[in-house]
Amino acid sequence: MDEILDVLRDISDSDEFILKSRVTALESAIAQRTGATHAIACASGTGALTLVLSALSIGPGDEVITPAFSFISSASTIALTGAKPVFVDVEPETATLDPAGVEPAITDATRAVLPAHLFSCTAPMSVLRAIADRHGLSLIEDSAVSLGAEVDGRPAGRHGDAGVYSFFPGKPLGGIGDGGMVITDHETLATACRQLRNHGMDLKVRFLHHKVGFNCRMDELVAGYLLRQLPTLDNVLEERRTLAQHYEERLRPLAPDLLPPPPDFTGRAVYTYVVRAKERARLRDHLGKVGITTEVYYPHPLHLQRVFRDLGYQRGDFPVAEQLAEESLALPLYQGLPLADVERVTDAVTEFYGRRP
């Protein structure tokens, strides 16, 4: 709380509130950390996806391929442009876009592929990059949960035409409100995103508007707080990896009743620790009775969400996504979680399945 008050006092004294010096400094810091040529701060991770899709002029009549199992913004941002989300199933181990389903989903209307990293896992970006290049498609990397992770030896977010990050408070680098970032090496795309985030306004001439844009600007308060937290990110990620590895060692013997995520957490950004659990509802009830809070990410695959029913998908179209929706369960994981609490959780899970590690 004291740190938040310090940031608030600093901003109040400076009389800077939106898209000023702290936002610029945060953009420079993220660009330096990731090696991206451009970093464009905005109001949220969802806003970052919206900016990229709009900057690429994706709209009515276009199709964008995206996973059937993800947070809804991976698909809703596509729909909001007027384009059509085209769902593809996910890989069972990582819950990320399955490359085997991408090429069969490509049509003459396909403009882009939008994979999403999820929980503690990353999508196979090198394979997806090759597919996108082969078909002349844009590749938009929804790396909202993965700042600080590496994919194929490069920072998450650096594999597509653009990547995005979210600074939602629960993320490893979380703000004191929503915030997001676009990273890209493409000058034209970066300029368009900078204009679009501020009502399509010219970057030098005030009240001259080139595009129909959005109010998607980052506050100085959010940027100032994130600048203070960014130096701690590597330590936070290492702590989360240690917790996840402790879970892995104690839960792996429960397979196949319970399947932890892939075991090597090196280079990964652990946002949430999500397992696949048979009899999930009963397990969750069992844990709740001993005071252990869990969460379901996500109870409905995207192709079966009511908002997308006009797309015509049916139950059975994407079996892995549907199974994940029935089995995925997030166990407690956050900075400061004692290892003894991880052991308490795993003991309770083991007790439910009737075994001891």
Side-chain angles (χ1 to χ4, degrees):
M1 181 60 72
D2 287 345
E3 192 166 20
I4 295 173
L5 291 174
D6 285 345
V7 174
L8 184 59
R9 291 188 192 98
D10 179 51
I11 289 167
S12 179
D13 291 343
S14 72
D15 201 31
E16 292 184 335
F17 298 102
I18 299 173
L19 286 187
K20 298 296 184 181
S21 61
R22 292 160 194 80
V23 171
T24 300
L26 180 64
E27 290 174 333
S28 296
I30 296 297
Q32 182 175 6
R33 181 183 177 100
T34 61
T37 306
H38 305 280
I40 304 97
C42 58
S44 67
T46 299
L49 283 175
T50 302
L51 292 178
V52 173
L53 289 160
S54 299
L56 291 170
S57 299
I58 290 171
D62 296 331
E63 295 178 353
V64 178
I65 294 170
T66 200
F69 188 76
S70 181
F71 183 58
I72 195 168
S73 62
S74 301
S76 64
T77 50
I78 298 167
L80 285 169
T81 69
K84 176 184 176 182
V86 174
F87 295 118
V88 165
D89 214 346
V90 294
E91 296 182 318
E93 268 209 330
T94 65
T96 62
L97 189 64
D98 187 349
V102 172
E103 284 190 290
I106 294 173
T107 70
D108 291 341
T110 306
R111 287 283 313 282
V113 180
L114 198 164
H117 306 317
L118 203 63
F119 309 142
S120 64
C121 296
T122 53
M125 294 307 302
S126 295
V127 178
L128 294 169
R129 175 81 269 178
I131 292 172
D133 289 345
R134 193 155 55 242
H135 293 272
L137 304 175
S138 297
L139 183 64
I140 304 164
E141 189 174 354
D142 184 350
S143 45
V145 303
S146 298
L147 178 61
E150 286 194 353
V151 190
D152 302 329
R154 300 187 70 194
R158 293 297 316 283
H159 297 261
D161 296 276
V164 307
Y165 301 123
S166 168
F167 303 121
F168 175 78
K171 299 291 193 297
L173 181 61
I176 48 175
D178 266 325
M181 189 78 68
V182 176
I183 60 167
T184 182
D185 291 335
H186 299 281
E187 181 79 31
T188 302
L189 183 60
T191 298
C193 287
R194 291 187 186 280
Q195 291 176 342
L196 286 163
R197 73 177 173 181
N198 192 20
H199 298 284
M201 191 185 299
D202 189 276
L203 300 183
K204 295 181 179 179
V205 182
R206 198 177 185 196
F207 303 132
L208 175 63
H209 300 266
H210 299 278
K211 300 173 182 288
V212 176
F214 315 94
N215 182 350
C216 194
R217 303 170 298 206
M218 180 178 280
D219 297 337
E220 287 288 294
L221 182 61
V222 171
Y225 182 78
L226 290 170
L227 280 169
R228 294 186 177 218
Q229 298 304 308
L230 184 58
T232 71
L233 178 59
D234 288 329
N235 289 337
V236 168
L237 291 174
E238 187 58 36
E239 180 183 352
R240 285 173 172 257
R241 291 181 191 123
T242 298
L243 292 168
Q245 191 61 46
H246 204 54
Y247 267 124
E248 157 66 24
E249 292 165 1
R250 295 177 64 84
L251 292 178
R252 184 61 62 179
L254 298 181
D257 292 333
L258 183 137
L259 295 173
D264 185 2
F265 292 94
T266 304
R268 284 156 63 182
V270 182
Y271 170 40
T272 48
Y273 187 83
V274 176
V275 300
R276 292 179 55 180
K278 292 183 179 178
E279 301 184 79
R280 180 182 67 192
R282 289 185 58 232
L283 171 61
R284 195 177 186 205
D285 181 63
H286 170 78
L287 295 175
K289 287 178 179 177
V290 294
I292 297 170
T293 301
T294 58
E295 186 58 80
V296 174
Y297 298 106
Y298 297 100
H300 307 287
L302 293 179
H303 66 290
L304 298 181
Q305 290 277 6
R306 291 182 180 181
V307 68
F308 295 126
R309 60 186 165 190
D310 289 346
L311 297 177
Y313 293 104
Q314 304 292 325
R315 186 169 296 278
D317 285 344
F318 305 114
V320 177
E322 292 169 26
Q323 186 174 7
L324 286 167
E326 294 175 356
E327 295 181 349
S328 293
L329 184 67
L331 301 178
L333 190 145
Y334 51 87
Q335 289 100 280
L337 178 68
L339 288 181
D341 282 2
V342 173
E343 293 171 3
R344 187 170 78 89
V345 174
T346 55
D347 283 346
V349 173
T350 301
E351 179 186 23
F352 174 78
Y353 288 114
R355 304 179 193 169
R356 290 291 173 188

